[in-house]
Amino acid sequence: MTRDDQNPANADDEQLLLLPDDLRHELKEPLGPIETDASRLLEAVDGPLIAVGDVVTYHLLEAGHQPDVALVDGRTKREAVDDEIRDAVTSGASIEVRNPPAELSVPVIRALRRALSTDEPTTILVDGEEDLVALPAIVAAPEGASVVYGQPGEGMVHVEVTDDHRSEMRDLLERFEGDTERFWALLEADETDS
């Protein structure tokens, strides 16, 4: 496993964007249809699959589908996931990064870009919180890809990546606090640039 946040000298440089309190309510609404059956959800997937969350990733694996990119943090609803889920979703972790709650950090965005640019399934183990990474994943994933994340107490939200979804996420991310210019530069960089 590689760590993608090896430069402690840049500790202040880690945070890119911070979720402002006034945007939290907007993120409570699902960005797509909610499904409780992973097999049925997978029938609608036609292209790369990005899973955000331990329980979502676990259900997709149980349904026999390894996500192309999975982001997990060992927690669900702010509690540790049980051992069976943790073992299943972290066994193939290939990148480990820090990303504090309610933030998007440099390491997690670099890891997302790297994972999206490889043909091998990639699991990113996040020390902190991975929830918000669904937003830049929708922007950076190719047309027709699927981003799936958990809606607590309801199921799995399936977002098929389209120009409209990308535009909606761009507008939302522009309203975060922090260095949006650097965020976009990192998110949209060629993997060879970073």
Side-chain angles (χ1 to χ4, degrees):
M1 185 178 328
T2 62
R3 284 196 61 87
D4 206 34
D5 54 3
Q6 294 292 330
N7 194 349
N10 286 357
D12 294 341
D13 212 22
E14 298 288 342
Q15 179 185 307
L16 281 172
L17 298 181
L18 178 65
L19 175 64
D21 288 338
D22 63 334
L23 272 186
R24 289 178 188 270
H25 70 281
E26 287 186 47
L27 296 179
K28 301 267 187 231
E29 289 299 312
L31 301 172
I34 297 175
E35 181 59 70
T36 56
D37 183 289
S39 296
R40 196 164 40 239
L41 183 148
L42 287 166
E43 290 173 8
V45 171
D46 183 29
L49 176 62
I50 298 99
V52 180
D54 298 66
V55 175
V56 166
T57 301
Y58 178 75
H59 285 301
L60 295 170
L61 290 169
E62 287 290 295
H65 192 94
Q66 169 79 45
D68 296 278
V69 179
L71 291 110
V72 298
D73 65 3
R75 305 184 77 69
T76 184
K77 300 180 193 171
R78 297 203 165 85
E79 301 291 327
V81 294
D82 66 37
D83 292 346
E84 179 184 350
I85 292 174
R86 187 194 68 236
D87 293 346
V89 302
T90 62
S91 67
S94 51
I95 302 173
E96 187 178 340
V97 295
R98 279 191 314 265
N99 189 67
E103 292 184 22
L104 289 167
S105 68
V106 171
V108 81
I109 297 304
R110 283 190 174 139
L112 175 65
R113 288 296 313 156
R114 189 160 72 212
L116 287 169
S117 69
T118 183
D119 293 332
E120 297 297 315
T122 304
T123 299
I124 301 168
L125 180 58
V126 177
D127 176 10
E129 196 172 88
E130 87 293 70
D131 303 9
L132 290 178
V133 184
L135 307 179
I138 292 167
V139 173
E143 184 81 14
S146 291
V147 175
V148 180
Y149 68 90
Q151 187 79 3
E154 294 186 52
M156 296 170 280
V157 179
H158 179 199
V159 181
E160 188 174 332
V161 177
T162 64
D163 285 340
D164 286 347
H165 280 126
R166 281 196 198 103
S167 179
E168 190 181 331
M169 292 309 102
R170 282 179 172 282
D171 291 347
L172 195 59
L173 287 160
E174 278 292 327
R175 293 165 53 206
F176 275 55
E177 296 169 357
D179 191 346
T180 53
E181 190 174 317
R182 182 159 184 235
F183 168 78
W184 292 118
L186 279 172
L187 187 65
E188 296 168 345
D190 233 339
E191 188 49 35
T192 55
D193 295 345
S194 52

